[in-house]
Amino acid sequence: MRKYVLILLFLTVITLPSCGAKKQRYVVGFYNVENLFDIVDNKDKNDEDFLPEGYYKWTEEKYWKKQHNIARVIKAMADANGAFHSVLGIAEVENKKVLEDLVAQPEIAKARYEIVHSESPDPRGIDVAFLYRPDHFKLLETETVHFKFVQSRDVLVIRGLLGGEMFAFMVAHLPSRIGGKGTDTRVWGAEAIYKKAVQLMKDYPGIKIVVMGDMNDDPVDESMVKGLHGKEFIADLGEDDFFSPFYSMLKAGYGSMEYKGTWQIFDQILVNKATTEGKGLKIQKIEDNKFYGKIFKPDFLIQQSGRYKGTPLRTFSSGEFLDGFSDHLPTYIILNK
């Protein structure tokens, strides 16, 4: 009898939850997927280059290769993290249809991503978007921040519950540097984002805010430091400041994109003070247990030979189809309790 009691006790112990069991981790990321266009001519957009007869000879075959490649990257990040992203901001997509095709790709379909997208006034027709797992994030409302001072991408603002906690995610693609454009428009854009964030913190005390996007500036630039009140260290945060995880990473030599031999981090994710402290979800260290951000840089995303060896393997180079991924590397942070 004693033998059976011991066996029963043993089985009871091994089936009890472990006090050291891993808590739920939430991966929050951003990826500029570089010109994810369909092959259909839209008369209201400058999409002529991405048509079968256009500059890039953008055929259905190339389109589906591009879709597969982006899905492959998302799946590789899920493999590295042990789970698909809870939320993923996206830049440079033409419309909602290309997003629907993306989330249906077999590599990532089981994540069951849902989509938030809004058409913006960008002349090229590229927008930002937001993918989320409905088993992790409960969507409450969405809106956009429109820039009146420049014809550019709108900022998506998404409010909801992540792990039961109130969050707002803001997805941006600030005005380009192409053509020697000055910093003013990006500073103004960052200020508009910051103004909206402060309003959210006022309306929803304790709300956790994540700002992500292709800022077309580095974490050390004026738009991020002054416009968005980005700080390098958590200890320096005021109540309405933002922690910039990639600030220290840039100084340490990391980069998410390369231009003329210099690595930069335009692909940024910042969090407000509430996301760095307290008992709920907060940002965790990832890279070498030293940095709070991660730039995903496996070998398959990097060009291995030729003139651009060592840089992100992009879709095209001088019009030639490379069957690559993007000229940007994806970035992410991890939230945990």
Side-chain angles (χ1 to χ4, degrees):
M1 181 69 179
R2 184 171 178 272
K3 176 181 178 181
Y4 292 116
V5 171
L6 289 173
I7 291 173
L8 181 61
L9 286 171
F10 174 73
L11 292 174
T12 302
V13 169
I14 65 173
T15 55
L16 286 173
S18 168
C19 292
K22 180 180 277 189
K23 297 177 181 178
Q24 179 69 63
R25 299 163 73 248
Y26 296 88
V27 184
V28 174
F30 173 77
Y31 193 14
N32 181 328
V33 297
E34 189 194 18
N35 295 321
L36 183 53
F37 282 83
D38 61 24
I39 63 169
V40 180
D41 187 14
N42 186 322
K43 302 300 182 183
D44 297 325
K45 299 178 180 180
N46 298 335
D47 63 352
E48 291 79 10
D49 286 345
F50 287 91
L51 297 174
E53 65 277 11
Y55 175 72
Y56 293 112
K57 308 298 181 186
W58 192 236
T59 62
E60 186 171 1
E61 179 184 10
K62 292 175 181 177
Y63 171 75
W64 287 114
K65 282 186 174 182
K66 173 81 171 181
Q67 288 281 8
H68 163 74
N69 286 349
I70 298 303
R72 179 185 171 190
V73 178
I74 297 171
K75 176 61 166 59
M77 288 190 285
D79 291 342
N81 288 309
F84 282 103
H85 283 62
S86 299
V87 302
L88 178 62
I90 301 285
E92 294 200 12
V93 293
E94 185 180 12
N95 50 45
K96 189 173 183 179
K97 179 61 168 63
V98 301
L99 292 162
E100 292 170 341
D101 288 342
L102 175 61
V103 300
Q105 290 296 298
E107 295 89 349
I108 64 173
K110 67 179 181 180
R112 300 186 182 278
Y113 282 120
E114 295 194 9
I115 300 164
V116 177
H117 168 264
S118 177
E119 291 287 346
S120 72
D122 180 82
R124 291 181 54 217
I126 54 172
D127 306 320
V128 296
F130 181 79
L131 308 182
Y132 68 95
R133 288 176 53 178
D135 58 329
H136 283 190
F137 181 72
K138 181 181 178 181
L139 179 67
L140 296 178
E141 67 175 1
T142 67
E143 59 180 307
T144 59
V145 174
H146 178 67
F147 298 149
K148 298 179 180 179
F149 51 83
V150 64
Q151 192 176 12
S152 186
R153 284 78 56 172
D154 290 340
V155 179
L156 271 183
V157 183
I158 304 97
R159 188 174 64 85
L161 302 176
L162 181 68
E165 298 181 37
M166 182 69 73
F167 271 81
F169 295 93
M170 306 177 73
V171 188
H173 187 179
L174 292 184
S176 173
R177 294 185 172 202
I178 293 175
K181 295 177 183 176
T183 62
D184 287 351
T185 55
R186 291 185 294 283
V187 173
W188 297 335
E191 289 174 344
I193 294 170
Y194 181 73
K195 180 179 179 181
K196 179 60 182 178
V198 170
Q199 185 63 53
L200 285 165
M201 288 186 275
K202 179 180 178 181
D203 292 343
Y204 305 97
I207 191 172
K208 298 180 178 181
I209 301 180
V210 179
V211 177
M212 63 176 75
D214 178 352
M215 304 305 183
N216 272 306
D217 270 335
D218 280 315
V220 299
D221 288 329
E222 183 180 2
S223 61
M224 298 294 100
V225 175
K226 294 185 178 180
L228 202 49
H229 293 228
K231 304 291 185 181
E232 181 178 4
F233 301 110
I234 292 175
D236 294 336
L237 292 178
E239 287 304 314
D240 293 338
D241 290 333
F242 277 83
F243 171 50
S244 179
F246 295 95
Y247 197 121
S248 293
M249 295 185 73
L250 179 72
K251 291 170 65 175
Y254 289 78
S256 64
M257 57 168 289
E258 183 270 349
Y259 182 69
K260 293 185 177 181
T262 300
W263 281 92
Q264 299 172 294
I265 306 181
F266 286 2
D267 308 274
Q268 299 180 51
I269 305 172
L270 301 91
V271 301
N272 69 337
K273 187 177 182 181
T275 319
T276 68
E277 61 185 13
K279 296 181 179 180
L281 291 174
K282 50 185 173 290
I283 192 169
Q284 304 291 322
K285 289 183 178 178
I286 311 175
E287 186 72 20
D288 299 327
N289 200 32
K290 181 180 179 182
F291 298 109
Y292 287 88
K294 177 72 176 181
I295 299 171
F296 191 62
K297 193 179 178 182
D299 287 345
F300 76 86
L301 283 183
I302 302 300
Q303 191 146 330
Q304 299 299 316
S305 62
R307 177 182 175 186
Y308 298 106
K309 180 180 179 179
T311 67
L313 179 55
R314 58 193 304 165
T315 308
F316 289 96
S317 177
S318 300
E320 178 188 358
F321 182 63
L322 302 180
D323 194 16
F325 303 87
S326 173
D327 53 347
H328 292 248
L329 298 172
T331 57
Y332 61 83
I333 62 172
I334 290 178
L335 303 176
N336 202 345
K337 291 185 179 180

